[in-house]
């Protein structure tokens, strides 16, 4: 019966619908109401609105001890909170290299409050939380993502992990084992990009600041102990070099937690009267780092990767604090590139120069990718390329020609596409809460304030073809930095690469051999 009833109702509805359709389709049945006027009998709609920009601005407070607290509100049940420290491998000039690498591995181990890493993870689990520590050449970042309700616990845990680590002997021994394994893996993995990045920095900034090794050298693994770590922490882990950043929480709440757990806390190491901090400015030197290596068996199996030689050529760009940083970012996006199988569709670099001029034209090249590394006092724009060892000379000349052509005329469509792609990438990345957290923390740590995404988009929109030409001309005046990995029999000399980058067409000097 119920089924029959439903059929009757459905049938009536259809009849009514058809009748209504006939009535209004004739053209004369519609009520004469303006679309801008409210409909009779329907409540007035309430539209979502932003109460000015202040709702999404980054709020910053500096505590009495110098620690900065920065937050960005974002709707959601979870928050990301962390402590960023102005400390990294670039500050290890007076210490054995590798301390930052050790501290990254030792993070969130036993502390004054927690007996082991498992206890920390169990505490976070109650609030649906996860923790992570990452170090770069200039920053160390301790971060936790958890429910907003657990903010008090999270800040207490972060304070303990950063200022009260026990650094037990067994934890240091386990870290040494983990680092040795990572160093072995770095030399064996098919993707050489991390190793090449390390090499290009060593070539560009020989023996200073960002040129110091990010990964602990094998010879230093046994030299680093609790005493060495405490000596480093004493100078660099001080409040004025830290930012407590949070995304997805109220600013007042975060400041209150910071006062409670980070204001009058004595670290486990003794605080010196005067800190001995390395304030060296990065000195760009240029140069070459070569690593002869058999790459024939780097990836065996049913579909082995062929033997390749990898070359990275870089030139000095600028600091992220300079105005030219934005034109360099646009230039890097314009060069783009990728692997021979990963360039993808139009949004993934199909119309970038390294794809059109290099990968599209030279089928034997496996990779051509542009990278831009920028720091508070210098920067490096480089191109990574890989090909068969017998074609290394030709590959190097193709890359040097691309560098020279950067200084030529830039098409309007090409420039607009690069700017739109950069803005698109920026906005898409800043939809992610952990990325907003890192952006807030890094900007406040280096400049004391934060440029909002719409401000960055405005700066990107203002970049002109003459800006690209100007920054390229400035970059081409610097000495090249070269990193080479694999079979280097056909690699041109550093002097020849330098001559090619100083020429009008980017060609290598001709070589005449009687015997090959």
């Amino acid at each position: 019966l119920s089924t029959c009833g439903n059929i009757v109702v459905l049938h009536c509805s259809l009849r009514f619908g058809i009748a209504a359709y006939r009535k209004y389709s004739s053209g004369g049945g519609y009520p004469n109401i303006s679309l801008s006027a409210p409909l009779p009998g329907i409540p007035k709609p309430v539209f979502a609105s932003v109460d000015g920009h202040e709702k999404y601005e980054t709020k910053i407070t500096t505590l009495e001890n110098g620690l900065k607290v920065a937050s960005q509100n974002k709707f959601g049940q979870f928050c990301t909170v962390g402590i960023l420290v102005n400390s990294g491998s670039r500050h290890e000039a007076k210490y054995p290299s590798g301390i930052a690498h050790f501290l990254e591995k030792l993070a969130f181990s036993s502390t004054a409050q927690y007996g082991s890493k498992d206890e920390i993870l169990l505490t976070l689990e109650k609030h649906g939380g996860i923790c992570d520590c990452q170090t770069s050449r200039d920053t160390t970042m301790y971060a936790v993502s958890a429910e907003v309700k657990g903010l008090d616990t999270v800040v207490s845990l972060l304070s303990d992990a950063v200022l009260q680590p026990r650094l037990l002997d067994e934890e240091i021994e386990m870290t040494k084992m983990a680092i040795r394994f990572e160093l072995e893996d770095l030399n064996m993995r098919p993707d050489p990009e991390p190793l090449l990045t390390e090499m290009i920095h060593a070539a560009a900034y020989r023996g200073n600041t960002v040129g110091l090794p990010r990964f602990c050298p094998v010879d230093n693994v046994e030299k680093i102990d609790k005493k060495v770590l405490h000596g480093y922490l004493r100078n660099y882990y001080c409040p004025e070099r830290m930012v407590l950043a949070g995304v997805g929480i109220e600013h007042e709440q975060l400041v209150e937690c910071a006062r409670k757990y980070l204001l009058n806390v004595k670290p486990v190491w003794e605080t010196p009267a005067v800190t001995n901090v390395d304030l060296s400015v990065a000195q760009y030197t240029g140069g070459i780092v070569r690593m002869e290596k058999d790459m024939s068996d780097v990836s065996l199996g049913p579909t082995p990767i062929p033997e390749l030689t990898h070359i990275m050529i870089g030139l000095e760009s600028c600091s992220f604090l300079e105005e030219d940083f934005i034109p360099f970012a646009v230039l890097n996006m314009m060069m783009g590139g990728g692997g021979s199988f990963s360039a993808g569709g139009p949004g993934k670099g199909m119309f970038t120069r390294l794809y059109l001029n290099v990968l599209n034209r030279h089928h034997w090249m496996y990779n051509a990718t542009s990278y831009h590394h920028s720091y508070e006092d210098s920067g490096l724009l480089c191109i990574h390329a890989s090909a068969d060892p017998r074609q290394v000379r030709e590959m190097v000349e193709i890359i040097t020609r691309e560098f020279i052509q950067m200084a030529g005329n830039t098409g309007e469509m090409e420039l607009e596409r690069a700017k739109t792609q950069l803005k698109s990438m920026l906005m898409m990345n800043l939809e992610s809460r952990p990325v907003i957290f890192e952006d807030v923390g890094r900007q406040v740590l280096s400049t004391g304030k934060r440029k909002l995404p719409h401000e960055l988009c405005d700066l990107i929109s203002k970049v002109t073809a003459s800006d690209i030409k100007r920054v390229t001309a400035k970059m081409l005046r610097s000495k090249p930095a070269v990193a080479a990995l694999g079979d280097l029999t056909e690699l041109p000399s550093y002097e020849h690469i330098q001559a090619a980058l100083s020429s009008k067409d980017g060609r290598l000097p001709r070589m005449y051999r009687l015997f090959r």
Side-chain angles (χ1 to χ4, degrees), residues 130-165:
I130 52 168
C131 61
D132 186 30
C133 176
Q134 291 177 10
T135 58
S136 61
R137 294 178 193 280
D138 54 1
T139 313
T140 302
M141 184 171 70
Y142 297 80
V144 172
S145 282
E147 274 190 308
V148 178
K149 289 182 285 186
L151 181 65
D152 193 87
T153 307
V154 165
V155 177
S156 164
L157 191 150
L158 281 165
S159 169
D160 225 38
V162 175
L163 300 173
Q164 307 280 329

Side-chain angles (χ1 to χ4, degrees), residues 166-445:
R166 286 188 187 171
L167 305 179
L168 302 173
D169 290 343
E170 55 264 34
E171 289 171 347
I172 291 172
E173 284 306 312
M174 285 294 287
T175 299
K176 287 178 180 179
M177 284 171 63
I179 286 173
R180 282 197 198 95
F181 175 79
E182 196 174 329
L183 293 174
E184 278 181 40
D185 179 59
L186 192 68
N187 287 308
M188 288 165 66
R189 64 169 67 175
D191 174 27
E193 201 265 321
L195 190 57
L196 278 166
T197 303
E198 191 77 355
M199 290 165 68
I200 197 82
H201 278 83
Y205 305 93
R206 194 168 289 276
N208 76 89
T209 58
V210 291
L212 297 172
R214 195 174 84 75
F215 299 103
C216 179
V218 180
D219 298 342
N220 286 0
V221 174
E222 286 304 323
K223 292 178 186 174
I224 296 172
D225 55 20
K226 189 174 180 175
K227 187 182 175 184
V228 172
L229 292 170
H230 272 191
Y232 179 86
L233 292 165
R234 193 173 291 127
N235 287 308
Y236 288 94
Y237 276 46
C238 41
E240 59 273 17
R241 296 180 67 84
M242 292 182 186
V243 169
L244 173 68
V247 175
I249 27 92
E250 293 291 337
H251 186 69
E252 293 71 26
Q253 207 180 343
L254 188 62
V255 171
E256 190 184 320
C257 289
R259 288 187 184 283
K260 190 173 172 184
Y261 297 111
L262 290 160
L263 189 55
N264 296 310
V265 179
K266 285 192 175 179
V268 73
W269 50 88
E270 292 170 16
T271 310
V274 180
T275 53
N276 185 10
V277 172
D278 180 22
L279 299 172
S280 307
V281 174
Q283 301 295 316
Y284 182 87
T285 60
I288 185 167
V289 172
R290 302 160 52 102
M291 188 186 284
E292 288 270 1
K293 191 179 174 193
D294 179 13
M295 307 283 278
S296 57
D297 59 350
V298 79
S299 175
L300 301 173
T303 53
I305 294 174
E307 183 182 357
L308 300 172
T309 294
H310 300 272
I311 307 292
M312 201 178 259
I313 299 174
L315 294 166
E316 187 179 19
S317 59
C318 72
S319 145
F320 57 66
L321 300 174
E322 293 177 50
E323 286 183 6
D324 284 346
F325 172 67
I326 299 291
F328 269 116
V330 174
L331 174 62
N332 178 54
M333 190 58 73
M334 198 165 74
M335 296 310 294
S340 53
F341 296 105
S342 71
K348 288 179 70 185
M350 202 171 174
F351 291 102
T352 57
R353 284 193 184 182
L354 291 179
Y355 185 83
L356 291 176
N357 301 349
V358 180
L359 294 169
N360 231 5
R361 294 183 186 179
H362 307 283
H363 65 89
W364 45 269
M365 280 190 71
Y366 276 77
N367 187 25
T369 313
S370 175
Y371 295 95
H372 187 216
H373 305 278
S374 199
Y375 305 97
E376 64 182 5
D377 46 13
S378 186
L380 188 65
L381 189 135
C382 42
I383 295 175
H384 166 210
S386 51
D388 185 280
R390 291 165 294 186
Q391 288 169 304
V392 168
R393 185 178 175 82
E394 199 178 342
M395 172 172 71
V396 169
E397 187 169 89
I398 287 166
I399 298 307
T400 53
R401 270 162 43 196
E402 283 304 314
F403 270 114
I404 295 298
Q405 283 167 21
M406 286 181 197
N409 293 325
T410 305
E412 190 183 337
M413 189 184 288
E414 179 184 37
L415 180 63
E416 284 306 313
R417 182 183 282 121
K419 284 155 66 172
T420 305
Q421 206 169 336
L422 181 60
K423 285 188 272 191
S424 161
M425 186 179 284
L426 174 75
M427 299 310 285
M428 280 195 292
N429 284 338
L430 287 172
E431 284 180 12
S432 162
R433 193 180 61 249
V435 175
I436 301 171
F437 157 75
E438 191 172 340
D439 183 50
V440 169
R442 283 181 182 276
Q443 284 202 50
V444 173
L445 191 66

